[in-house]
Amino acid sequence: MDLDLLSQTLTDMGQPAYRARQVWDWTAKGVASYEQMTNLPHQLRETLSEQVPFSTLTVENEARASDGTIKLLMRTADGRPLEAVLMRYRDGRRSLCLSSQSGCPLTCAFCATGQMRFGRNLTASEILDQALHFRRITEVDHCVFMGMGEPLMNLDNVLAASRRLPDIGITHRRTAVSTVGWIPGIDRLTEDPMPLRLALSLHAADPALRSQLMPVNDRYPLADVLAACERFYARKRRMIFVEYVMLDGINDSVGQARELAQILDPRIYKVNLIPYNPTDVGMRGSTSRAIEAFRAELERLGLGATVRLTRGRDIAAACGQLAAGALSADAAVAVGIGS
Ligand code: SAH
C-alpha cells in the first residue's frame, strides 16, 4: 500500500491523525482487504478501497517449490518487474528475500539480474508490499535484502521499509542487508541506530579475479570495503556474513580458500558458501566435493564457514531468474513471436 498516498487521502478526507496508524496495524497483521479493518467506519473502508490500492504491486507469476519456497514475479504500477521469495525451513524459520530495485545497475558476471536493464529504485512501500504479500500467507520472522538490486544504492527506502518490518514480525536483528561493498552505504548503516545485520558479497579474495566477477571492485576495492566492514563491526559488535558464490574452476580451489582466510578476521566474519544456481551466463556451480573441501580449509584455518541450504532449486530461484525470463517473454511478445 502506498503509505504516502494513504496519509494524503486520509488528510484530504479530514480524518483524524490516528487513522493511518489503524490502517497500517491491520495491514501489518496480514489482513487481505480494507473490508476486514473492522474498527474503521464502513464508508471509510469503501472510499479507501476505491482510492488507495491495497498493494502497490501485482503478482504476475507465482512458483511454488516442493520444499515450500514460494517465489513471486511482481510488477509495480508502472510495469517494472521484481522478485520476492518466501523460504520455509525445517526449524520453523520463515525468511523473506526482498528486492530493493527493479533490475540492478551493477553487472556482476554470474548474476541474472546483472544481465537485465536497470529499471529504478523501489519505493519503501513497494519494498514493504513484498513482505506484506507473504505476511498474508503465513507468519514471517526473518528478512534478507538479497533479491534484485543493490540495497545500499537505495538505502533511504530500504531503511524506511526496515523501520516498519518489526510490525510485520521481523525484528531489526533478523533483518540482513546484503551488499557488493558499496562503501558509502556501509558507512551510513554503521551510523544508523537500527541493529540491522550486514552481509558482504565477496566471491574472490584476489583483486583481479574479483574485478572480473564484480566490476564494482574497481570503484570500491576490497581492501577499502573490508575497512568499512570493520568500522561497522567496531560500532555494532555484530558479525558480518561473507557471501561467496562457488563457481566451478573459477574461485573454488583450496588455495583460494587460503587466500580468503588470510584477509578475513575470524572474530568479525563468518563465511557462507553459496551453491551457484545456474543461469544462462555460461558458468557452472562447483561440485559439492569442491564446496566441502573449501569449507573444511576455511574451518581448518579458524574461519567459521557454512554451506547455504539451497531452497527452491526446482523453480529457478536464483537472483533475477524469474524476472529475466519474464523480460525475454516480453521481448518475444514485442516482436510478435509470443502468444
Ligand atoms: N546486490 C546485493 C544483493 C543482491 S544479490 C549483493 O550483491 O549482495 C544476493 C546474493 O545472491 C549475492 O551474494 C549474489 O552474489 C548472489 N547471487 C547472484 N546470482 C546468483 C546465482 N545465480 N546463484 C547463487 N547466488 C547468486
Side-chain angles (χ1 to χ4, degrees), residues 110-112 145-147 149-151 178-180 201 203 243 245 274-277 279 318-319:
F110 50 83
C111 177
F145 283 94
M146 293 184 189
E150 168 52 41
S178 175
T179 179
V180 294
S201 293
H203 308 324
E243 292 156 276
V245 171
I274 310 178
Y276 184 58
N277 264 317
T279 67
C319 186

PDB file of all heavy atoms in Angstrom, residues 110-112 145-147 149-151 178-180 201 203 243 245 274-277 279 318-319, ligand 1:
ATOM      1  N   PHE A 110      28.136 -13.278 -12.970  1.00  0.00           N
ATOM      2  CA  PHE A 110      27.443 -14.557 -12.778  1.00  0.00           C
ATOM      3  C   PHE A 110      25.961 -14.364 -12.497  1.00  0.00           C
ATOM      4  O   PHE A 110      25.212 -15.324 -12.344  1.00  0.00           O
ATOM      5  CB  PHE A 110      28.075 -15.285 -11.580  1.00  0.00           C
ATOM      6  CG  PHE A 110      28.186 -14.381 -10.377  1.00  0.00           C
ATOM      7  CD1 PHE A 110      27.103 -14.196  -9.541  1.00  0.00           C
ATOM      8  CD2 PHE A 110      29.360 -13.666 -10.146  1.00  0.00           C
ATOM      9  CE1 PHE A 110      27.190 -13.317  -8.471  1.00  0.00           C
ATOM     10  CE2 PHE A 110      29.447 -12.790  -9.063  1.00  0.00           C
ATOM     11  CZ  PHE A 110      28.365 -12.615  -8.231  1.00  0.00           C
ATOM     12  N   CYS A 111      25.499 -13.124 -12.386  1.00  0.00           N
ATOM     13  CA  CYS A 111      24.163 -12.849 -11.846  1.00  0.00           C
ATOM     14  C   CYS A 111      23.172 -12.531 -12.959  1.00  0.00           C
ATOM     15  O   CYS A 111      23.441 -11.699 -13.826  1.00  0.00           O
ATOM     16  CB  CYS A 111      24.241 -11.682 -10.863  1.00  0.00           C
ATOM     17  SG  CYS A 111      22.634 -11.205 -10.199  1.00  0.00           S
ATOM     18  N   ALA A 112      22.009 -13.205 -12.909  1.00  0.00           N
ATOM     19  CA  ALA A 112      20.987 -12.999 -13.945  1.00  0.00           C
ATOM     20  C   ALA A 112      20.439 -11.570 -13.915  1.00  0.00           C
ATOM     21  O   ALA A 112      20.155 -10.984 -14.962  1.00  0.00           O
ATOM     22  CB  ALA A 112      19.860 -14.014 -13.778  1.00  0.00           C
ATOM     23  N   PHE A 145      17.798  -8.686   2.405  1.00  0.00           N
ATOM     24  CA  PHE A 145      17.745  -7.907   1.163  1.00  0.00           C
ATOM     25  C   PHE A 145      18.732  -8.535   0.195  1.00  0.00           C
ATOM     26  O   PHE A 145      19.831  -8.050  -0.004  1.00  0.00           O
ATOM     27  CB  PHE A 145      18.042  -6.430   1.428  1.00  0.00           C
ATOM     28  CG  PHE A 145      16.873  -5.705   2.033  1.00  0.00           C
ATOM     29  CD1 PHE A 145      16.752  -5.557   3.401  1.00  0.00           C
ATOM     30  CD2 PHE A 145      15.869  -5.204   1.214  1.00  0.00           C
ATOM     31  CE1 PHE A 145      15.658  -4.914   3.955  1.00  0.00           C
ATOM     32  CE2 PHE A 145      14.767  -4.557   1.760  1.00  0.00           C
ATOM     33  CZ  PHE A 145      14.656  -4.410   3.131  1.00  0.00           C
ATOM     34  N   MET A 146      18.314  -9.685  -0.349  1.00  0.00           N
ATOM     35  CA  MET A 146      19.152 -10.428  -1.289  1.00  0.00           C
ATOM     36  C   MET A 146      18.386 -10.737  -2.562  1.00  0.00           C
ATOM     37  O   MET A 146      18.719 -11.655  -3.297  1.00  0.00           O
ATOM     38  CB  MET A 146      19.648 -11.735  -0.657  1.00  0.00           C
ATOM     39  CG  MET A 146      20.610 -11.526   0.491  1.00  0.00           C
ATOM     40  SD  MET A 146      21.240 -13.092   1.094  1.00  0.00           S
ATOM     41  CE  MET A 146      22.106 -12.536   2.578  1.00  0.00           C
ATOM     42  N   GLY A 147      17.337  -9.979  -2.809  1.00  0.00           N
ATOM     43  CA  GLY A 147      16.611 -10.139  -4.066  1.00  0.00           C
ATOM     44  C   GLY A 147      17.286  -9.293  -5.130  1.00  0.00           C
ATOM     45  O   GLY A 147      18.507  -9.128  -5.120  1.00  0.00           O
ATOM     46  N   GLY A 149      18.714  -6.180  -7.102  1.00  0.00           N
ATOM     47  CA  GLY A 149      19.184  -4.828  -6.822  1.00  0.00           C
ATOM     48  C   GLY A 149      20.246  -4.754  -5.748  1.00  0.00           C
ATOM     49  O   GLY A 149      20.538  -5.731  -5.056  1.00  0.00           O
ATOM     50  N   GLU A 150      20.824  -3.569  -5.632  1.00  0.00           N
ATOM     51  CA  GLU A 150      21.839  -3.305  -4.620  1.00  0.00           C
ATOM     52  C   GLU A 150      21.205  -2.402  -3.553  1.00  0.00           C
ATOM     53  O   GLU A 150      20.997  -1.207  -3.770  1.00  0.00           O
ATOM     54  CB  GLU A 150      23.057  -2.634  -5.282  1.00  0.00           C
ATOM     55  CG  GLU A 150      24.077  -2.037  -4.338  1.00  0.00           C
ATOM     56  CD  GLU A 150      24.582  -3.007  -3.247  1.00  0.00           C
ATOM     57  OE1 GLU A 150      24.826  -4.193  -3.535  1.00  0.00           O
ATOM     58  OE2 GLU A 150      24.698  -2.559  -2.096  1.00  0.00           O
ATOM     59  N   PRO A 151      20.874  -2.980  -2.387  1.00  0.00           N
ATOM     60  CA  PRO A 151      20.122  -2.218  -1.384  1.00  0.00           C
ATOM     61  C   PRO A 151      20.838  -0.939  -0.911  1.00  0.00           C
ATOM     62  O   PRO A 151      20.179   0.045  -0.589  1.00  0.00           O
ATOM     63  CB  PRO A 151      19.937  -3.202  -0.231  1.00  0.00           C
ATOM     64  CG  PRO A 151      20.769  -4.391  -0.543  1.00  0.00           C
ATOM     65  CD  PRO A 151      21.063  -4.391  -1.998  1.00  0.00           C
ATOM     66  N   SER A 178      22.348  -7.084   2.261  1.00  0.00           N
ATOM     67  CA  SER A 178      23.476  -7.677   1.538  1.00  0.00           C
ATOM     68  C   SER A 178      23.990  -6.692   0.497  1.00  0.00           C
ATOM     69  O   SER A 178      23.215  -6.103  -0.251  1.00  0.00           O
ATOM     70  CB  SER A 178      23.001  -8.966   0.853  1.00  0.00           C
ATOM     71  OG  SER A 178      24.029  -9.509   0.058  1.00  0.00           O
ATOM     72  N   THR A 179      25.316  -6.532   0.442  1.00  0.00           N
ATOM     73  CA  THR A 179      25.875  -5.540  -0.463  1.00  0.00           C
ATOM     74  C   THR A 179      27.077  -6.080  -1.220  1.00  0.00           C
ATOM     75  O   THR A 179      27.785  -6.959  -0.736  1.00  0.00           O
ATOM     76  CB  THR A 179      26.292  -4.263   0.308  1.00  0.00           C
ATOM     77  OG1 THR A 179      26.855  -3.319  -0.626  1.00  0.00           O
ATOM     78  CG2 THR A 179      27.340  -4.563   1.385  1.00  0.00           C
ATOM     79  N   VAL A 180      27.306  -5.507  -2.384  1.00  0.00           N
ATOM     80  CA  VAL A 180      28.521  -5.811  -3.140  1.00  0.00           C
ATOM     81  C   VAL A 180      29.751  -5.161  -2.507  1.00  0.00           C
ATOM     82  O   VAL A 180      30.866  -5.412  -2.929  1.00  0.00           O
ATOM     83  CB  VAL A 180      28.411  -5.289  -4.588  1.00  0.00           C
ATOM     84  CG1 VAL A 180      27.335  -6.031  -5.362  1.00  0.00           C
ATOM     85  CG2 VAL A 180      28.166  -3.780  -4.618  1.00  0.00           C
ATOM     86  N   SER A 201      28.886  -9.500  -0.192  1.00  0.00           N
ATOM     87  CA  SER A 201      29.142 -10.420  -1.306  1.00  0.00           C
ATOM     88  C   SER A 201      30.598 -10.275  -1.696  1.00  0.00           C
ATOM     89  O   SER A 201      31.002  -9.233  -2.216  1.00  0.00           O
ATOM     90  CB  SER A 201      28.226 -10.078  -2.490  1.00  0.00           C
ATOM     91  OG  SER A 201      26.891 -10.348  -2.139  1.00  0.00           O
ATOM     92  N   HIS A 203      33.058 -13.193  -2.941  1.00  0.00           N
ATOM     93  CA  HIS A 203      33.214 -14.026  -4.147  1.00  0.00           C
ATOM     94  C   HIS A 203      34.638 -14.279  -4.640  1.00  0.00           C
ATOM     95  O   HIS A 203      34.854 -15.233  -5.387  1.00  0.00           O
ATOM     96  CB  HIS A 203      32.366 -13.509  -5.319  1.00  0.00           C
ATOM     97  CG  HIS A 203      30.924 -13.294  -4.984  1.00  0.00           C
ATOM     98  ND1 HIS A 203      30.219 -14.111  -4.112  1.00  0.00           N
ATOM     99  CD2 HIS A 203      30.034 -12.341  -5.379  1.00  0.00           C
ATOM    100  CE1 HIS A 203      28.974 -13.681  -4.011  1.00  0.00           C
ATOM    101  NE2 HIS A 203      28.837 -12.598  -4.756  1.00  0.00           N
ATOM    102  N   GLU A 243      29.287 -13.572   1.842  1.00  0.00           N
ATOM    103  CA  GLU A 243      28.697 -14.481   0.863  1.00  0.00           C
ATOM    104  C   GLU A 243      29.734 -14.778  -0.215  1.00  0.00           C
ATOM    105  O   GLU A 243      30.428 -13.870  -0.686  1.00  0.00           O
ATOM    106  CB  GLU A 243      27.479 -13.838   0.201  1.00  0.00           C
ATOM    107  CG  GLU A 243      26.305 -13.662   1.144  1.00  0.00           C
ATOM    108  CD  GLU A 243      25.409 -12.554   0.658  1.00  0.00           C
ATOM    109  OE1 GLU A 243      25.685 -11.390   0.957  1.00  0.00           O
ATOM    110  OE2 GLU A 243      24.447 -12.858  -0.045  1.00  0.00           O
ATOM    111  N   VAL A 245      29.838 -17.068  -3.662  1.00  0.00           N
ATOM    112  CA  VAL A 245      29.200 -17.966  -4.631  1.00  0.00           C
ATOM    113  C   VAL A 245      30.269 -18.897  -5.198  1.00  0.00           C
ATOM    114  O   VAL A 245      31.300 -18.437  -5.670  1.00  0.00           O
ATOM    115  CB  VAL A 245      28.564 -17.155  -5.780  1.00  0.00           C
ATOM    116  CG1 VAL A 245      28.096 -18.094  -6.882  1.00  0.00           C
ATOM    117  CG2 VAL A 245      27.382 -16.346  -5.290  1.00  0.00           C
ATOM    118  N   ILE A 274      27.865 -20.275  -1.096  1.00  0.00           N
ATOM    119  CA  ILE A 274      26.577 -20.367  -1.798  1.00  0.00           C
ATOM    120  C   ILE A 274      26.715 -21.260  -3.026  1.00  0.00           C
ATOM    121  O   ILE A 274      27.442 -20.912  -3.952  1.00  0.00           O
ATOM    122  CB  ILE A 274      26.103 -18.967  -2.259  1.00  0.00           C
ATOM    123  CG1 ILE A 274      26.161 -17.965  -1.099  1.00  0.00           C
ATOM    124  CG2 ILE A 274      24.711 -19.037  -2.843  1.00  0.00           C
ATOM    125  CD1 ILE A 274      25.760 -16.547  -1.493  1.00  0.00           C
ATOM    126  N   PRO A 275      26.023 -22.399  -3.018  1.00  0.00           N
ATOM    127  CA  PRO A 275      25.994 -23.203  -4.252  1.00  0.00           C
ATOM    128  C   PRO A 275      25.373 -22.358  -5.366  1.00  0.00           C
ATOM    129  O   PRO A 275      24.328 -21.735  -5.159  1.00  0.00           O
ATOM    130  CB  PRO A 275      25.107 -24.390  -3.893  1.00  0.00           C
ATOM    131  CG  PRO A 275      25.129 -24.448  -2.391  1.00  0.00           C
ATOM    132  CD  PRO A 275      25.252 -23.024  -1.934  1.00  0.00           C
ATOM    133  N   TYR A 276      26.018 -22.317  -6.492  1.00  0.00           N
ATOM    134  CA  TYR A 276      25.563 -21.460  -7.598  1.00  0.00           C
ATOM    135  C   TYR A 276      24.300 -22.023  -8.228  1.00  0.00           C
ATOM    136  O   TYR A 276      24.217 -23.207  -8.529  1.00  0.00           O
ATOM    137  CB  TYR A 276      26.680 -21.371  -8.640  1.00  0.00           C
ATOM    138  CG  TYR A 276      26.382 -20.446  -9.785  1.00  0.00           C
ATOM    139  CD1 TYR A 276      26.101 -19.099  -9.565  1.00  0.00           C
ATOM    140  CD2 TYR A 276      26.401 -20.909 -11.106  1.00  0.00           C
ATOM    141  CE1 TYR A 276      25.840 -18.241 -10.623  1.00  0.00           C
ATOM    142  CE2 TYR A 276      26.148 -20.058 -12.166  1.00  0.00           C
ATOM    143  CZ  TYR A 276      25.864 -18.725 -11.919  1.00  0.00           C
ATOM    144  OH  TYR A 276      25.609 -17.880 -12.973  1.00  0.00           O
ATOM    145  N   ASN A 277      23.319 -21.163  -8.424  1.00  0.00           N
ATOM    146  CA  ASN A 277      22.123 -21.519  -9.180  1.00  0.00           C
ATOM    147  C   ASN A 277      22.419 -21.198 -10.638  1.00  0.00           C
ATOM    148  O   ASN A 277      22.524 -20.020 -10.980  1.00  0.00           O
ATOM    149  CB  ASN A 277      20.932 -20.658  -8.742  1.00  0.00           C
ATOM    150  CG  ASN A 277      20.074 -21.344  -7.702  1.00  0.00           C
ATOM    151  OD1 ASN A 277      19.771 -22.524  -7.797  1.00  0.00           O
ATOM    152  ND2 ASN A 277      19.683 -20.578  -6.696  1.00  0.00           N
ATOM    153  N   THR A 279      22.538 -20.005 -14.296  1.00  0.00           N
ATOM    154  CA  THR A 279      21.737 -19.105 -15.126  1.00  0.00           C
ATOM    155  C   THR A 279      22.248 -19.332 -16.544  1.00  0.00           C
ATOM    156  O   THR A 279      22.992 -20.276 -16.772  1.00  0.00           O
ATOM    157  CB  THR A 279      21.946 -17.639 -14.709  1.00  0.00           C
ATOM    158  OG1 THR A 279      23.287 -17.282 -15.031  1.00  0.00           O
ATOM    159  CG2 THR A 279      21.734 -17.438 -13.215  1.00  0.00           C
ATOM    160  N   ALA A 318      17.211 -18.426  -8.420  1.00  0.00           N
ATOM    161  CA  ALA A 318      18.396 -17.562  -8.372  1.00  0.00           C
ATOM    162  C   ALA A 318      18.020 -16.127  -8.687  1.00  0.00           C
ATOM    163  O   ALA A 318      17.070 -15.869  -9.419  1.00  0.00           O
ATOM    164  CB  ALA A 318      19.456 -18.040  -9.352  1.00  0.00           C
ATOM    165  N   CYS A 319      18.801 -15.235  -8.090  1.00  0.00           N
ATOM    166  CA  CYS A 319      18.606 -13.805  -8.254  1.00  0.00           C
ATOM    167  C   CYS A 319      18.353 -13.421  -9.716  1.00  0.00           C
ATOM    168  O   CYS A 319      19.182 -13.655 -10.573  1.00  0.00           O
ATOM    169  CB  CYS A 319      19.864 -13.113  -7.734  1.00  0.00           C
ATOM    170  SG  CYS A 319      19.737 -11.352  -7.701  1.00  0.00           S
TER     171      CYS A 319
HETATM  172  N1  SAH B   1      23.365  -6.612  -4.601  1.00  0.00           N
HETATM  173  C1  SAH B   1      23.394  -7.316  -3.359  1.00  0.00           C
HETATM  174  C2  SAH B   1      22.137  -8.116  -3.040  1.00  0.00           C
HETATM  175  C3  SAH B   1      21.517  -8.945  -4.153  1.00  0.00           C
HETATM  176  S1  SAH B   1      22.249 -10.469  -4.647  1.00  0.00           S
HETATM  177  C4  SAH B   1      24.597  -8.214  -3.291  1.00  0.00           C
HETATM  178  O1  SAH B   1      25.223  -8.446  -4.316  1.00  0.00           O
HETATM  179  O2  SAH B   1      24.942  -8.660  -2.198  1.00  0.00           O
HETATM  180  C5  SAH B   1      22.212 -11.524  -3.247  1.00  0.00           C
HETATM  181  C6  SAH B   1      23.278 -12.631  -3.331  1.00  0.00           C
HETATM  182  O3  SAH B   1      22.962 -13.590  -4.351  1.00  0.00           O
HETATM  183  C7  SAH B   1      24.652 -12.085  -3.681  1.00  0.00           C
HETATM  184  O4  SAH B   1      25.624 -12.619  -2.846  1.00  0.00           O
HETATM  185  C8  SAH B   1      24.823 -12.561  -5.107  1.00  0.00           C
HETATM  186  O5  SAH B   1      26.176 -12.657  -5.427  1.00  0.00           O
HETATM  187  C9  SAH B   1      24.125 -13.902  -5.071  1.00  0.00           C
HETATM  188  N2  SAH B   1      23.789 -14.435  -6.382  1.00  0.00           N
HETATM  189  C10 SAH B   1      23.524 -13.778  -7.533  1.00  0.00           C
HETATM  190  N3  SAH B   1      23.268 -14.644  -8.533  1.00  0.00           N
HETATM  191  C11 SAH B   1      23.355 -15.887  -8.019  1.00  0.00           C
HETATM  192  C12 SAH B   1      23.185 -17.200  -8.549  1.00  0.00           C
HETATM  193  N4  SAH B   1      22.871 -17.381  -9.825  1.00  0.00           N
HETATM  194  N5  SAH B   1      23.361 -18.251  -7.721  1.00  0.00           N
HETATM  195  C13 SAH B   1      23.661 -18.067  -6.409  1.00  0.00           C
HETATM  196  N6  SAH B   1      23.819 -16.864  -5.856  1.00  0.00           N
HETATM  197  C14 SAH B   1      23.679 -15.775  -6.644  1.00  0.00           C
END
